[in-house]
Amino acid sequence: MSVAAGTSVLAGCTGGDSGGSESGNGGSGDGKHGGSMTFALGGSPTNLSYWQSYDTVTNNLTTQIWDSLLEYSEPDMELQPALAKSWEATDDTTYVYELREGVTFHDGSEMTADDVIASAKLTLRDEAKSPLAWMFGAVDNFEKVDEYTVRVNMAEPDASFKYVPATTAWSVAPKSQIDEKGTDLAQEPVGAGPFKLDQWKSGNYVRITRHDDYWDGELPYLDEATFQIVPNGTSRITGMKNGNYGGTNDIPIDQLSVLDQIDNVELHTVTSFQTSHLVFNCMEGPFSNTDVRRAASYAIDTKAITESTVGKYGSHAYSMLPEGMMGHVKPEDLEYNGFPYDPEKAKSMLDDAGFTGSPRFETTLMTPKDTVRQKPAIAIQQYLSEVGIKVNVKKVSQSTYVDTIWGEEDFSKRPGLQMTLWASDFPSPDAIIRPLFDSEQLPPSNNWFGYQNEKVDQLLQQFKTTLDTEQRAQYAKQVNQIVVDEAPGVWIFHPDTTKAFNTKFEGYAGQIPAFVTYFSTFLRDMYIAD
């Protein structure tokens, strides 16, 4: 997708708050029932909850088990019915959802309004430690109108709330299971998705089987799927080539061109709303000093890292907001011009900040082991060493990374630097600038930076509650300008979203940005071709 195409797609996503038919996507008759797929997953999920399902590894699996009220159509990315057959914003602070009747959970019980409300409230429980809870921040209460109607009353307008029911924040579980198990549902999920849990061998595989009473027509087509945990990217590529795996994701960027040449593999790549970036610990140590963060930003050649890491499969980043998204900034919009590579300026600023030793100071950079984060981390280590900062790179598993970045609430125990990747949840900057830079969103939510700025908080509140698109765009840009100039992180690149499937499997729409695949039950529509 070109930038122009991405822009037009964004415009198409901001349409009305109601619509859709009761029939859903399924039952086309084009697919054939039966068979299985082994999907090579790049990391091991820590649990199978919907309320903590918020990373690009886990969501591939959990979205097959849990369904939400709404979903996105593919490939045009418009909101459409899922567990809710219709919905309406009756005014600026009221949303009404009409539920499908006859939806059956994996335990055989029928979905009602009580289940829908209990599921949202579980995401909001303190013990759930949900990084998605911020999405319900403007909700005053959930109201049961009748057995199949739920009303959400907002305390204030929230322009992005229309997207929330299409995320895992509002997947639905039986109230009886929530009452009995609470957050233990993370280990024993009971949802209304197209597949149900069959067997989970932690660190090895998760097997799911067809939910025969699924609400959406004749779907799913496959009888079962096994998510094999294969952290090594080369092993996933070899397995795809040999036909051992039917699909995979999180493909090492430097091997995409190799995978694209394999005859029995179809590679799907698309411009994403993701950003690979370096996180500074803004609360502790040297990086609590804004000028030290700015100096480190000047020391890192982000354009060179972009070229060497993603090449044609991504684009250079100037902020967390990619081109084509409301609030995007260019160097000329910024006081520091986006910190162009200037190691001499970096050294001078570190001198002025009082860091003159050899090394000036020592810090740790934590990174998962995937190419899209580990390779930039190694480059950053070298660039910072050239200005006198000693960086120890700590390579960790995906599960350790998730536990640290969301689970560690004490910033004195967090590393000075973290290499991470964020994908927008909506076709809007709400799902980037609000969860990442609001002072109230510290872990277990998503402000991993520990970044706090009163002016930014005020602008984010105005951005959230303003419904006028042009005014919202101004607030988003102001926030972005302040954040980039204060350098709580270094924005590296926007990598393409990638998935690959053996050519014998059909039914994957594919050409859609990251936020849709992130919450998509993609296996539901896939089948084995003749």
Side-chain angles (χ1 to χ4, degrees):
M1 292 175 66
S2 66
V3 170
T7 304
S8 66
V9 165
L10 283 174
C13 284
T14 56
D17 293 332
S18 64
S21 67
E22 196 167 344
S23 61
N25 287 332
S28 68
D30 293 332
K32 293 186 176 181
H33 290 97
S36 63
M37 177 193 290
T38 298
F39 190 93
L41 200 61
S44 181
T46 55
N47 64 66
L48 301 179
S49 72
Y50 63 85
W51 58 91
Q52 289 184 346
S53 183
Y54 209 29
D55 66 88
T56 54
V57 170
T58 305
N59 278 52
N60 282 276
L61 168 57
T62 53
T63 51
Q64 317 310 320
I65 296 173
W66 307 99
D67 266 8
S68 302
L69 295 187
L70 305 178
E71 61 188 28
Y72 288 100
S73 61
E74 301 175 17
D76 55 357
M77 301 191 303
E78 292 183 355
L79 288 169
Q80 66 175 19
L83 297 181
K85 65 181 181 181
S86 66
W87 72 102
E88 181 182 10
T90 57
D91 56 45
D92 290 350
T93 57
T94 309
Y95 292 82
V96 178
Y97 301 91
E98 297 289 340
L99 307 178
R100 295 183 189 275
E101 298 183 27
V103 172
T104 303
F105 289 113
H106 300 157
D107 67 353
S109 62
E110 184 191 4
M111 181 190 73
T112 67
D114 291 327
D115 305 307
V116 171
I117 292 171
S119 298
K121 289 183 176 179
L122 179 56
T123 296
L124 288 166
R125 288 188 191 180
D126 289 342
E127 63 267 29
K129 295 184 179 297
S130 173
L132 298 107
W134 69 272
M135 295 186 184
F136 292 112
V139 173
D140 183 35
N141 61 74
F142 303 92
E143 180 183 351
K144 177 182 177 181
V145 178
D146 58 43
E147 284 297 296
Y148 300 103
T149 308
V150 173
R151 180 183 293 124
V152 180
N153 300 303
M154 313 290 285
E156 60 186 1
D158 182 346
S160 70
F161 186 77
K162 63 183 177 182
Y163 301 118
V164 173
T167 74
T168 50
W170 207 350
S171 295
V172 183
K175 181 178 184 298
S176 59
Q177 295 280 343
I178 293 172
D179 291 343
E180 177 185 348
K181 300 177 181 176
T183 55
D184 286 345
L185 273 171
Q187 310 301 320
E188 303 174 73
V190 179
F195 295 90
K196 57 187 178 181
L197 178 64
D198 177 59
Q199 188 176 14
W200 178 12
K201 188 172 182 180
S202 183
N204 193 344
Y205 65 86
V206 179
R207 182 177 297 116
I208 56 178
T209 57
R210 186 180 193 273
H211 177 30
D212 292 333
D213 295 321
Y214 188 57
W215 61 267
D216 199 349
E218 298 177 4
L219 298 179
Y221 295 119
L222 296 174
D223 287 336
E224 66 176 31
T226 299
F227 284 79
Q228 191 75 38
I229 311 306
V230 188
N232 184 276
T234 302
S235 296
R236 296 202 300 278
I237 299 291
T238 302
M240 290 296 297
K241 182 177 181 179
N242 295 339
N244 295 330
Y245 306 134
T248 190
N249 74 317
D250 284 344
I251 303 154
I253 292 287
D254 56 357
Q255 296 189 50
L256 282 172
S257 58
V258 175
L259 193 62
D260 203 17
Q261 301 301 313
I262 300 174
D263 290 339
N264 65 333
V265 173
E266 184 174 4
L267 175 65
H268 300 270
T269 66
V270 63
T271 302
S272 77
F273 300 154
Q274 299 182 87
T275 306
S276 178
H277 59 284
L278 179 70
V279 171
F280 292 120
N281 185 336
C282 298
M283 283 193 169
E284 298 284 340
F287 299 117
S288 61
N289 183 326
T290 305
D291 284 335
V292 173
R293 301 197 302 268
R294 288 171 176 154
S297 300
Y298 277 121
I300 298 169
D301 190 342
T302 55
K303 288 186 176 180
I305 295 175
T306 298
E307 180 60 31
S308 65
T309 305
V310 297
K312 68 177 182 178
Y313 297 107
S315 60
H316 181 245
Y318 291 108
S319 74
M320 284 296 300
L321 304 183
E323 190 171 356
M325 181 174 278
M326 177 193 297
H328 174 72
V329 294
K330 298 178 180 179
E332 55 265 31
D333 299 320
L334 302 162
E335 181 179 352
Y336 295 92
N337 298 311
F339 301 101
Y341 180 52
D342 191 339
E344 294 307 313
K345 189 171 186 66
K347 292 175 184 177
S348 176
M349 291 184 72
L350 289 168
D351 288 341
D352 292 344
F355 292 95
T356 57
S358 181
R360 296 176 187 272
F361 60 85
E362 186 172 351
T363 190
T364 297
L365 195 171
M366 185 187 76
T367 180
K369 297 177 182 179
D370 57 276
T371 305
V372 79
R373 285 173 285 194
Q374 182 175 297
K375 189 170 181 178
I378 299 300
I380 288 168
Q381 178 187 43
Q382 179 60 35
Y383 281 122
L384 292 182
S385 73
E386 291 171 2
V387 298
I389 300 173
K390 183 177 180 181
V391 177
N392 302 304
V393 174
K394 182 180 180 182
K395 304 171 187 177
V396 300
S397 67
Q398 177 70 16
S399 58
T400 299
Y401 163 77
V402 169
D403 287 344
T404 302
I405 205 160
W406 280 302
E408 183 52 75
E409 299 178 39
D410 184 349
F411 274 78
S412 69
K413 297 179 181 178
R414 296 170 75 97
L417 303 169
Q418 298 173 107
M419 196 70 212
T420 191
L421 182 69
W422 181 265
S424 179
D425 307 316
F426 318 139
S428 163
D430 296 79
I432 300 176
I433 56 177
R434 282 175 53 196
L436 292 182
F437 304 120
D438 190 317
S439 296
E440 295 184 356
Q441 298 300 322
L442 300 174
S445 197
N446 308 290
N447 186 342
W448 310 319
F449 310 86
Y451 175 73
Q452 296 176 304
N453 182 298
E454 186 175 345
K455 177 64 174 175
V456 166
D457 289 343
Q458 292 171 355
L459 287 168
L460 286 174
Q461 178 65 13
Q462 292 171 299
F463 172 70
K464 170 186 173 183
T465 57
T466 299
L467 303 183
D468 179 80
T469 301
E470 290 186 5
Q471 186 60 59
R472 276 169 54 79
Q474 292 179 26
Y475 290 138
K477 189 166 186 177
Q478 290 177 62
V479 168
N480 206 13
Q481 288 170 319
I482 295 171
V483 167
V484 175
D485 283 334
E486 290 203 331
V490 178
W491 330 113
I492 313 295
F493 52 76
H494 306 295
D496 286 354
T497 301
T498 60
K499 266 192 174 70
F501 293 100
N502 187 291
T503 52
K504 73 177 183 179
F505 293 98
E506 296 185 3
Y508 179 67
Q511 299 306 307
I512 45 180
F515 77 92
V516 180
T517 61
Y518 196 51
F519 296 120
S520 169
T521 58
F522 67 88
L523 279 182
R524 176 185 63 183
D525 302 294
M526 299 195 72
Y527 58 93
I528 299 175
D530 289 334

